[in-house]
Short mmCIF file of all heavy atoms in Angstrom, two decimals:
data_model
loop_
_atom_site.label_atom_id
_atom_site.label_comp_id
_atom_site.label_asym_id
_atom_site.label_seq_id
_atom_site.Cartn_x
_atom_site.Cartn_y
_atom_site.Cartn_z
N LEU A 167 -6.47 -2.22 -18.16
CA LEU A 167 -5.86 -1.39 -19.20
C LEU A 167 -6.72 -1.46 -20.47
O LEU A 167 -7.42 -2.43 -20.72
CB LEU A 167 -4.41 -1.80 -19.47
CG LEU A 167 -4.04 -3.28 -19.62
CD1 LEU A 167 -4.44 -3.82 -20.97
CD2 LEU A 167 -2.53 -3.44 -19.43
N TRP A 168 -6.66 -0.37 -21.24
CA TRP A 168 -7.53 -0.24 -22.40
C TRP A 168 -6.93 -0.89 -23.63
O TRP A 168 -5.79 -0.64 -23.99
CB TRP A 168 -7.81 1.24 -22.68
CG TRP A 168 -8.66 1.50 -23.88
CD1 TRP A 168 -8.29 2.07 -25.06
CD2 TRP A 168 -10.05 1.20 -24.00
NE1 TRP A 168 -9.36 2.15 -25.91
CE2 TRP A 168 -10.46 1.62 -25.30
CE3 TRP A 168 -11.00 0.62 -23.16
CZ2 TRP A 168 -11.76 1.49 -25.76
CZ3 TRP A 168 -12.31 0.48 -23.62
CH2 TRP A 168 -12.68 0.91 -24.90
N GLN A 169 -7.72 -1.79 -24.26
CA GLN A 169 -7.33 -2.45 -25.50
C GLN A 169 -7.98 -1.71 -26.67
O GLN A 169 -9.18 -1.90 -26.95
CB GLN A 169 -7.80 -3.91 -25.49
CG GLN A 169 -7.20 -4.75 -24.38
CD GLN A 169 -5.88 -5.36 -24.77
OE1 GLN A 169 -4.88 -5.18 -24.10
NE2 GLN A 169 -5.84 -6.09 -25.86
N GLU A 170 -7.22 -0.88 -27.33
CA GLU A 170 -7.76 -0.03 -28.39
C GLU A 170 -8.29 -0.86 -29.56
O GLU A 170 -9.35 -0.56 -30.13
CB GLU A 170 -6.68 0.94 -28.88
CG GLU A 170 -7.16 1.93 -29.93
CD GLU A 170 -8.18 2.93 -29.36
OE1 GLU A 170 -8.12 3.23 -28.14
OE2 GLU A 170 -9.03 3.39 -30.14
N GLU A 171 -7.57 -1.95 -29.90
CA GLU A 171 -7.94 -2.71 -31.09
C GLU A 171 -9.29 -3.41 -30.96
O GLU A 171 -9.99 -3.64 -31.94
CB GLU A 171 -6.85 -3.74 -31.45
CG GLU A 171 -6.67 -4.86 -30.43
CD GLU A 171 -5.74 -4.49 -29.28
OE1 GLU A 171 -5.46 -3.29 -29.12
OE2 GLU A 171 -5.32 -5.40 -28.56
N CYS A 172 -9.67 -3.76 -29.72
CA CYS A 172 -10.97 -4.41 -29.55
C CYS A 172 -11.94 -3.56 -28.71
O CYS A 172 -13.03 -4.01 -28.37
CB CYS A 172 -10.81 -5.80 -28.93
SG CYS A 172 -9.81 -5.85 -27.45
N GLN A 173 -11.52 -2.34 -28.41
CA GLN A 173 -12.39 -1.38 -27.73
C GLN A 173 -12.98 -1.94 -26.43
O GLN A 173 -14.20 -1.88 -26.20
CB GLN A 173 -13.52 -0.92 -28.67
CG GLN A 173 -13.04 -0.12 -29.86
CD GLN A 173 -12.53 1.26 -29.47
OE1 GLN A 173 -13.29 2.10 -28.99
NE2 GLN A 173 -11.22 1.49 -29.65
N GLU A 174 -12.10 -2.47 -25.58
CA GLU A 174 -12.57 -2.97 -24.29
C GLU A 174 -11.45 -2.91 -23.26
O GLU A 174 -10.27 -2.82 -23.59
CB GLU A 174 -13.09 -4.40 -24.42
CG GLU A 174 -12.03 -5.42 -24.78
CD GLU A 174 -12.60 -6.82 -24.91
OE1 GLU A 174 -13.83 -6.95 -25.05
OE2 GLU A 174 -11.81 -7.78 -24.87
N TRP A 175 -11.87 -2.93 -21.99
CA TRP A 175 -10.92 -2.93 -20.89
C TRP A 175 -10.48 -4.36 -20.59
O TRP A 175 -11.30 -5.28 -20.61
CB TRP A 175 -11.55 -2.32 -19.64
CG TRP A 175 -11.78 -0.85 -19.74
CD1 TRP A 175 -12.96 -0.23 -20.06
CD2 TRP A 175 -10.82 0.18 -19.53
NE1 TRP A 175 -12.79 1.13 -20.07
CE2 TRP A 175 -11.48 1.42 -19.74
CE3 TRP A 175 -9.46 0.19 -19.20
CZ2 TRP A 175 -10.83 2.65 -19.62
CZ3 TRP A 175 -8.81 1.41 -19.07
CH2 TRP A 175 -9.50 2.62 -19.28
N ARG A 176 -9.19 -4.53 -20.33
CA ARG A 176 -8.60 -5.84 -20.04
C ARG A 176 -8.08 -5.86 -18.60
O ARG A 176 -7.33 -4.98 -18.20
CB ARG A 176 -7.47 -6.13 -21.01
CG ARG A 176 -6.60 -7.34 -20.68
CD ARG A 176 -5.44 -7.42 -21.66
NE ARG A 176 -4.43 -8.36 -21.23
CZ ARG A 176 -3.22 -8.45 -21.80
NH1 ARG A 176 -2.89 -7.64 -22.81
NH2 ARG A 176 -2.33 -9.32 -21.36
N LYS A 197 -3.68 3.35 -21.35
CA LYS A 197 -4.64 3.94 -20.43
C LYS A 197 -4.97 2.93 -19.32
O LYS A 197 -5.13 1.74 -19.58
CB LYS A 197 -5.95 4.29 -21.17
CG LYS A 197 -5.80 5.29 -22.30
CD LYS A 197 -7.14 5.52 -22.98
CE LYS A 197 -7.03 6.45 -24.16
NZ LYS A 197 -8.35 6.62 -24.85
#
Side-chain angles (χ1 to χ4, degrees):
L167 46 77
W168 178 249
Q169 298 273 125
E170 183 67 29
E171 66 275 14
C172 51
Q173 294 290 295
E174 65 181 17
W175 290 98
R176 169 186 168 191
K197 299 178 183 178

